[in-house]
Amino acid sequence: MASFSARDVLIAQLVKRDPARTEADIQADIYGLLTVGELNVGTDQAHMESPSADGTRRRIDVEVGQLAIEVKKDLRNQTVRADGESQLEGYIATRTEQSGAHYSGVLTDGVLWLLFNVGAEGRRLVAELDMTGKEPAVLVGWLEAVLSTQTQVKPTPAEIVRRLGANSPAHLVDVAAFRDLYQANAGNTEVSLKRELWAKLLRTAFGSAFEDDETLFINHTLLVLTAEIIAHAALGFDVSAKGGISAKQLSLGTEFSNAQIVGVVQADFFDWLLDVDGGEELIANVARRIAQFNWDHVEHDVLKLLYESVIDTRDRKALGEYYTPDWLAQAIVDANVDEPLVQRVADVACGSGTFLFHAIRRYLVAADEAGMSNGEAISGVTSHVTGMDVHPVAVTIARVTYLLAIGVERLTADDRGPLVVPVYLGDSLQWEQQADIFASEEQLTIATSGADLVEAGAALFHDDLVFPKSVLQDAANFDRLVNAMSEKASDTSNRTSKTVISPTLHQFGIPEQDTDVLVATYDTMRRLHADGRDSIWGYYVRNLVRPTWLSADDNKVDVLVGNPPWLRYGAMTGPMQTRFTAMLKARGLITGRAGATGRDLAPLFVVRATELYLRAGGRFAMIVPHGILTRQPHAEFRSGRWGSTILDLRVQFDRAWDLQHAATGFPNHAAVVVGNRGTTSKAMTAEVEAWSTKGAKSNVTWDEMLPRLTRDVTTVGVTSEEDAPVTFSIYRKRFRQGAVLAPRMLTFVEEGKSSPLGAGAGRVPVVSRKTNQDKPPWKSLPAISDVVEKTFVRPVHLGETTLPFRTTAPLKAVLPISPKTGKLLSSSEIAEHEGLSSWWVAAEELWNANKSANDPGSFLDRIDYIGQLSAQLPSASQRVVYTKAGNAITAARVDDADVIIDHKLYWAATNTVDEARYLVGILNSAAVLERVKPFMAVGLFGPRDIDKNVFRALIQPYDADNGSHVALAKTVAEAEATASEVDVSGAKTFQAARKLIKAELEQKALFPKIEALVLDVVPTVVP
């Protein structure tokens, strides 16, 4: 191996772009870097001037493994670059055709390194590196990732992400190759079926937040394949080309089946690669990358970190995918599983398997202490720890995690018997129980046709798969039976289905009375296979049945742990919203005036999981959004009595864990709800155990977290409907939220470019106001530009234009408000105004093309959602506004009747200026903020949602005869005058502008004076 100085010399020569150096010089240095440096490429693997063997005299400058390198002197010359790309494309295509293996290529001049893939649509640049100003190690690392030639690399999370993560050249070129292969075979019946079923399950899990995106399917395919190959490598299999395990065997888990380990690697949605030409070569390429690591010792969370690297942060956020930190999962397991050898534990939203890992380890430690043999311990743990999730990638990762938790030493021991990994892909909530599964006393029918919960359209499939209830009693045996039936479904002989399958049924001990049913099911599977739609059904059946099996009385568990999905009502599909609302009502979780719109899936998941899977007396401990502890829509959940005329489910809550000051890594603050299923109920109280991990990071172990952890018993402010008559001010009914003028680019405008001839009398050129705060897809859409009548360009106040005791200049928005009547125009009335009509047609077109599929309304409906714009028209001359959310309440007076109020503000008209100033003083006060903080939803930066909680402070109606009221209004007038004189033009943000005004009011002692007056006029009430 060359010294680092020799390597550095070669790289220094490469990056100089010395005019005196030739392409041959650059080529020789690259060959030297590959063969005499630490890249571990032997001279038998790398070749210079390799003949292309395509009938021409062309030669590949450098060829190493399945990579062609084309060298040019200076790629800054676009003609040279284009010529090089064309040559490289030819070499890659030729080598791929000649070898049957997947080739990629690099075009370089020593400074610029361009990595290409070639597919049906030609070459595609997938990664590039510009070495200008970079250290030599950067190039070595980049080439290492491309070549995957190093061996015995320690598989730390950092190395896994560096070499296989989203930004690695290896991942980028693999994704490009997978995409090309998928696009070339998207019409294949098996391929399309697998993607459809994949999409169906993810819509069930994530509602409208999930988009059936080709890139996501490809990334999931690559992740699952990577996890499956890592499972082989971690258990000692040689997954390199020298190991003798074919790509098909790796993808189907043949070696696991041979070792009597079932349920780790199996036919699934992502083995579509086996159904198309070229797929096995791509699998072999991924295996080659996995083989560079030494998997003898691997951390159990490497796959979770790889997933988080590969799947874009925005996609994970949209789907609510935030995995539980290791320390918290262990804390929950340790606190709630006190008899691991006796208690059966399940996580029915298991994600990547973090809770399962700790439950397994807890069981095995107890087994060793009890003197159990290894074989007994493994058999015991698989019957005591079960996982389930509706996300297919998470389930694959969890299955590998399950094996890693057991450990290679135990799995390879002589006394380890047959093993079924009990982690299943299943709909834990049983959203589709009525649509897909029809259970009777004697049999269970899985419909492959019927209404799809997640779409309102027609069915994807036909025919039913029926199984006698008797075969479901033994979960492991059922898995093996379905596996065997699936394998034999490919029989294309003329023999009857009964002749083919009867020996298998006899082998599994199927009683005579159940044989005909299973023969008919097998016959359906054969016909599905003949239609090219079979290979997925065995996998689908085994997993779809699992929730029903686990919910049988004999199979219910003693402890439920986990982190259920956090999915807002607004993010659910229309059919899911309907089912969600029905489920809430059936379980008594909606009563009184409350509706479903302010709710989250997590508490229903806790209720449904307890109902279906937890035995009487069993215990649950699950992570939920922090608002579940305090917010009014969840009062029925906190009651502990869940039910209606068709269900009577009761739990006894223990003290919840408040995690708002703990390092969890979640996007919002969390809590842990804990309790037992019983015959009587015990409501959750406001008393919580507050956890604080000040200064700690979330990615640590429980042992590392313990020294930093403090736990104190305290209380949280809990809201409920019953509080309303007692604690709300009369002003609560007078304030309304402003109008939803979003997406902003369709209404908010800036002055556009004027024509040399002008816009015409009463008209103004405008263009969409676009900012980096715009959200997809609106952020990437082209701006609307038009000439609009001035009377339809209205001033708008938002949270960002509202400061303490004053406002800044309002923004401008195109709004169809009649200048004559002050009322909102109808669609037909809009059409009567040329400029407005032109703008509105463009806005409606963009809205219809990009709005949520769940929204049937027009854009005009959108801006007047529940009358929030109409209610402002015609506008009053005196109004008070305050901010909807934030760490503090900011209020001001608005005296311009033309101004429209945005939904980030609440507003109310007042009878007089003094009444408005009275309210502005109270709303800006710290005294009122402190009283309502306990009732505000908590964000990562503290209490955030003010809404109408502010009126829990008993603000009395303004009384002009009350000296204290008048004194407060007078002092606020002084504060307004002072605030108006503060120069905020230099403030870069509205938050900075607010600080400037507050500082000035403090300096002039106006804030303390207002605080004292507020304490005098607003009575102290302890809710």
Side-chain angles (χ1 to χ4, degrees):
M1 177 180 292
S3 67
F4 283 112
S5 59
R7 177 201 71 179
D8 293 353
V9 168
L10 285 169
I11 295 176
Q13 292 175 172
L14 283 170
V15 302
K16 274 197 309 186
R17 279 204 180 111
D18 184 346
R21 285 168 56 78
T22 66
E23 287 183 7
D25 294 330
I26 299 171
Q27 182 180 324
D29 284 345
I30 291 172
Y31 180 81
L33 179 62
L34 293 172
T35 57
V36 300
E38 66 264 38
L39 287 169
N40 199 38
V41 178
T43 55
D44 59 330
Q45 297 174 284
H47 307 280
M48 292 178 62
E49 297 292 336
S50 182
S52 62
D54 60 354
T56 70
R57 300 176 63 183
R58 295 185 305 169
R59 293 177 178 272
I60 300 172
D61 288 340
V62 181
E63 184 174 9
V64 53
Q66 292 164 217
L67 182 74
I69 301 177
E70 176 66 16
V71 177
K72 295 296 179 185
K73 187 172 181 178
D74 192 341
L75 291 176
R76 290 175 297 185
N77 183 310
Q78 293 304 307
T79 301
V80 171
R81 176 167 171 167
D83 179 61
E85 288 185 13
S86 178
Q87 284 182 261
L88 186 63
E89 179 179 355
Y91 295 148
I92 296 171
T94 298
R95 280 291 192 261
T96 298
E97 183 180 354
Q98 290 170 344
S99 67
H102 179 74
Y103 264 67
S104 52
V106 167
L107 176 63
T108 184
D109 60 4
V111 179
L112 190 61
W113 297 75
L114 308 174
L115 178 62
F116 287 90
N117 182 73
V118 173
E121 297 181 0
R123 63 180 178 269
R124 177 185 294 155
L125 178 64
V126 295
E128 63 180 285
L129 172 67
D130 186 340
M131 278 298 295
T132 304
K134 293 184 173 64
E135 293 295 318
V138 174
L139 177 57
V140 173
W142 194 83
L143 289 171
E144 281 177 357
V146 172
L147 296 168
S148 303
T149 52
Q150 283 200 331
T151 59
Q152 298 299 304
V153 177
K154 186 177 180 180
T156 63
E159 278 297 314
I160 290 284
V161 170
R162 186 175 77 83
R163 294 168 181 270
L164 303 178
N167 296 319
S168 69
H171 174 79
L172 294 170
V173 76
D174 285 344
V175 165
F178 276 49
R179 180 184 289 110
D180 288 336
L181 191 66
Y182 174 79
Q183 290 175 346
N185 294 277
N188 179 292
T189 306
E190 275 289 316
V191 174
S192 61
L193 170 63
K194 288 172 182 178
R195 178 169 169 180
E196 285 173 293
L197 286 172
W198 165 82
K200 180 180 179 182
L201 276 167
L202 287 179
R203 282 200 197 93
T204 299
F206 302 114
S208 62
F210 166 74
E211 293 184 14
D212 184 0
D213 177 68
E214 178 184 285
T215 298
L216 188 63
F217 181 63
I218 290 165
N219 273 325
H220 280 190
T221 298
L222 182 54
L223 275 168
V224 166
L225 181 60
T226 299
E228 291 173 341
I229 296 173
I230 287 176
H232 284 83
L235 292 180
F237 293 106
D238 182 356
V239 298
S240 72
K242 298 177 182 178
I245 305 176
S246 71
K248 184 174 183 179
Q249 289 173 316
L250 286 172
S251 185
L252 296 179
T254 306
E255 295 299 322
F256 284 99
S257 298
N258 293 341
Q260 293 187 299
I261 298 178
V262 177
V264 184
V265 180
Q266 53 189 313
D268 58 24
F269 304 132
F270 307 111
D271 61 16
W272 59 269
L273 291 162
L274 299 177
D275 300 319
V276 299
D277 292 338
E280 293 191 33
E281 288 76 13
L282 293 187
I283 296 171
N285 208 39
V286 175
R288 178 173 61 85
R289 302 195 193 285
I290 303 301
Q292 68 185 301
F293 296 95
N294 179 352
W295 296 98
D296 290 346
H297 301 285
V298 57
E299 299 175 40
H300 73 275
D301 60 350
V302 293
L303 290 173
K304 177 171 68 177
L305 296 175
L306 181 62
Y307 179 85
E308 291 176 344
S309 164
V310 170
I311 301 303
D312 187 89
T313 302
R314 289 170 298 180
D315 291 334
R316 289 189 283 113
K317 183 178 179 179
L319 300 182
E321 294 180 344
Y322 293 92
Y323 288 122
T324 309
D326 201 62
W327 72 266
L328 181 56
Q330 184 174 348
I332 291 172
V333 169
D334 287 357
N336 294 282
V337 182
D338 50 12
E339 295 184 89
L341 297 182
V342 177
Q343 293 167 308
R344 294 182 61 242
V345 182
D347 179 357
V348 293
C350 69
S352 63
T354 305
F355 283 94
L356 300 180
F357 182 91
H358 291 291
I360 292 164
R361 286 293 171 91
R362 189 163 178 77
Y363 181 95
L364 294 176
V365 168
D368 287 343
E369 291 173 351
M372 293 172 62
S373 70
N374 179 67
E376 291 172 329
I378 293 178
S379 176
V381 76
T382 56
S383 63
H384 282 78
V385 181
T386 301
M388 181 161 43
D389 201 286
V390 76
H391 197 308
V393 179
V395 166
T396 299
I397 294 173
R399 287 167 175 163
V400 178
T401 299
Y402 202 106
L403 287 185
L404 295 177
I406 294 174
V408 176
E409 186 176 344
R410 287 182 180 275
L411 291 169
T412 57
D414 291 339
D415 65 343
R416 191 266 300 160
L419 166 65
V420 176
V421 175
V423 180
Y424 303 101
L425 181 68
D427 172 20
S428 301
L429 273 171
Q430 297 190 29
W431 286 112
E432 301 188 76
Q433 185 180 29
Q434 295 175 347
D436 282 355
I437 302 180
F438 303 87
S440 69
E441 289 297 321
E442 301 300 329
Q443 63 187 32
L444 183 138
T445 300
I446 298 172
T448 62
S449 63
D452 186 347
L453 168 68
V454 297
E455 297 289 354
L460 287 173
F461 320 115
H462 59 81
D463 296 323
D464 294 340
L465 303 172
V466 185
F467 296 90
K469 283 288 188 70
S470 61
V471 305
L472 302 179
Q473 300 307 310
D474 185 330
N477 202 54
F478 176 75
D479 284 350
R480 288 190 288 268
L481 171 63
V482 174
N483 209 37
M485 292 173 70
S486 299
E487 289 176 356
K488 291 187 177 294
S490 59
D491 186 291
T492 57
S493 68
N494 292 326
R495 295 183 298 165
T496 66
S497 291
K498 184 171 185 177
T499 301
V500 177
I501 201 63
S502 288
T504 299
L505 300 182
H506 180 73
Q507 176 187 344
F508 278 87
I510 303 301
E512 189 66 32
Q513 64 269 23
D514 293 333
T515 299
D516 289 345
V517 172
L518 289 175
V519 167
T521 292
Y522 171 69
D523 187 64
T524 298
M525 295 173 82
R526 278 184 93 184
R527 285 187 284 111
L528 287 167
H529 182 275
D531 290 341
R533 298 186 295 114
D534 167 69
S535 67
I536 196 64
W537 283 109
Y539 170 78
Y540 195 62
V541 166
R542 288 193 303 276
N543 291 288
L544 193 62
V545 165
R546 194 55 49 197
T548 302
W549 174 84
L550 192 60
S551 63
D553 288 341
D554 291 342
N555 300 323
K556 293 187 177 189
V557 300
D558 303 289
V559 182
L560 280 173
V561 293
N563 183 3
W566 299 8
L567 186 67
R568 295 176 294 101
Y569 177 87
M572 299 178 188
T573 62
M576 187 183 288
Q577 288 177 344
T578 301
R579 188 75 62 80
F580 175 70
T581 303
M583 282 188 169
L584 289 175
K585 289 179 178 178
R587 286 149 189 83
L589 298 177
I590 294 182
T591 60
R593 301 188 302 272
T597 55
R599 299 172 190 264
D600 190 276
L601 179 60
L604 175 63
F605 193 100
V606 175
V607 172
R608 187 74 164 139
T610 300
E611 170 194 344
L612 292 173
Y613 310 117
L614 191 63
R615 67 163 180 81
R619 187 164 182 79
F620 62 87
M622 296 193 189
I623 301 171
V624 295
H626 187 272
I628 305 304
L629 304 187
T630 62
R631 310 308 296 155
Q632 187 277 324
H634 308 295
E636 292 84 2
F637 172 79
R638 295 192 297 270
S639 74
R641 184 167 184 170
W642 307 327
S644 62
T645 55
I646 62 172
L647 174 70
D648 185 16
L649 179 62
R650 305 189 187 199
V651 300
Q652 298 175 331
F653 278 111
D654 286 348
R655 185 186 295 138
W657 300 359
D658 182 342
L659 303 180
Q660 63 175 305
H661 298 298
T664 63
F666 299 141
N668 295 307
H669 286 307
V672 178
V673 292
V674 185
N676 292 80
R677 181 172 182 173
T679 55
T680 59
S681 61
K682 177 186 174 185
M684 187 187 301
T685 69
E687 187 176 271
V688 297
E689 186 175 280
W691 289 41
S692 177
T693 59
K694 189 174 182 181
K697 295 182 178 179
S698 61
N699 59 337
V700 298
T701 66
W702 178 227
D703 288 339
E704 291 170 330
M705 183 63 81
L706 269 174
R708 294 179 174 270
L709 176 66
T710 59
R711 289 176 278 194
D712 300 296
V713 175
T714 183
T715 59
V716 291
V718 178
T719 65
S720 68
E721 283 195 35
E722 288 69 27
D723 294 327
V726 180
T727 61
F728 286 132
S729 163
I730 193 171
Y731 278 108
R732 181 176 185 266
K733 293 183 179 179
R734 288 178 56 179
F735 275 81
R736 283 199 65 161
Q737 191 174 0
V740 182
L741 306 180
R744 289 190 178 185
M745 68 156 291
L746 300 185
T747 55
F748 285 90
V749 296
E750 297 171 334
E751 189 169 341
K753 187 176 180 180
S754 297
S755 163
L757 298 176
R763 289 155 54 90
V764 60
V766 292
V767 62
S768 297
R769 182 179 186 267
K770 303 202 66 174
T771 73
N772 57 11
Q773 299 299 313
D774 293 340
K775 298 179 180 179
W778 314 103
K779 188 171 187 174
S780 60
L781 294 180
I784 304 173
S785 181
D786 217 322
V787 178
V788 177
E789 294 85 355
K790 289 181 179 179
T791 53
F792 296 114
V793 181
R794 298 289 293 259
V796 180
H797 275 310
L798 308 87
E800 65 196 73
T801 65
T802 305
L803 309 181
F805 302 98
R806 64 169 280 193
T807 59
T808 55
L811 301 184
K812 302 289 186 180
V814 175
L815 295 171
I817 299 172
S818 170
K820 295 180 180 179
T821 65
K823 299 290 184 68
L824 193 63
L825 299 177
S826 65
S827 295
S828 59
E829 290 169 329
I830 290 173
E832 296 174 6
H833 304 274
E834 181 183 2
L836 173 65
S837 176
S838 177
W839 179 279
W840 211 256
V841 166
E844 286 282 10
E845 287 178 353
L846 286 174
W847 169 252
N848 289 325
N850 296 280
K851 68 181 180 180
S852 166
N854 296 333
D855 192 332
S858 67
F859 187 55
L860 190 60
D861 296 327
R862 167 73 166 181
I863 66 170
D864 197 31
Y865 176 67
I866 59 174
Q868 287 176 178
L869 179 54
S870 297
Q872 300 183 44
L873 305 174
S875 301
S877 60
Q878 286 295 325
R879 286 173 287 175
V880 172
V881 296
Y882 72 86
T883 47
K884 175 185 182 296
N887 294 329
I889 307 168
T890 301
R893 187 169 55 87
V894 175
D895 56 9
D896 182 350
D898 285 337
V899 164
I900 299 301
I901 309 301
D902 177 75
H903 74 289
K904 293 296 184 180
L905 296 171
Y906 279 83
W907 67 275
T910 61
N911 297 316
T912 65
V913 172
D914 282 347
E915 182 184 17
R917 286 172 171 159
Y918 165 80
L919 286 169
V920 167
I922 292 171
L923 292 168
N924 275 311
S925 71
V928 167
L929 177 64
E930 288 305 313
R931 294 187 199 180
V932 302
K933 263 186 179 180
F935 304 99
M936 294 165 60
V938 179
L940 289 180
F941 303 103
R944 63 177 186 190
D945 289 333
I946 299 162
D947 295 314
K948 289 193 177 183
N949 285 305
V950 67
F951 300 110
R952 288 182 171 277
L954 293 186
I955 304 171
Q956 302 299 311
Y958 178 72
D959 184 354
D961 295 325
N962 185 310
S964 296
H965 290 198
V966 174
L968 176 58
K970 183 178 179 181
T971 305
V972 169
E974 294 179 48
E976 287 180 336
T978 298
S980 68
E981 294 174 357
V982 177
D983 182 6
V984 297
S985 60
K988 293 183 178 180
T989 65
F990 66 86
Q991 294 94 337
R994 289 174 182 173
K995 287 181 180 179
L996 289 174
I997 290 175
K998 288 180 179 179
E1000 185 68 13
L1001 293 173
E1002 287 284 1
Q1003 196 272 329
K1004 292 195 173 182
L1006 285 170
F1007 253 146
K1009 187 176 179 180
I1010 290 171
E1011 290 294 335
L1013 289 166
V1014 169
L1015 289 172
D1016 187 40
V1017 302
V1018 180
T1020 301
V1021 174
V1022 180

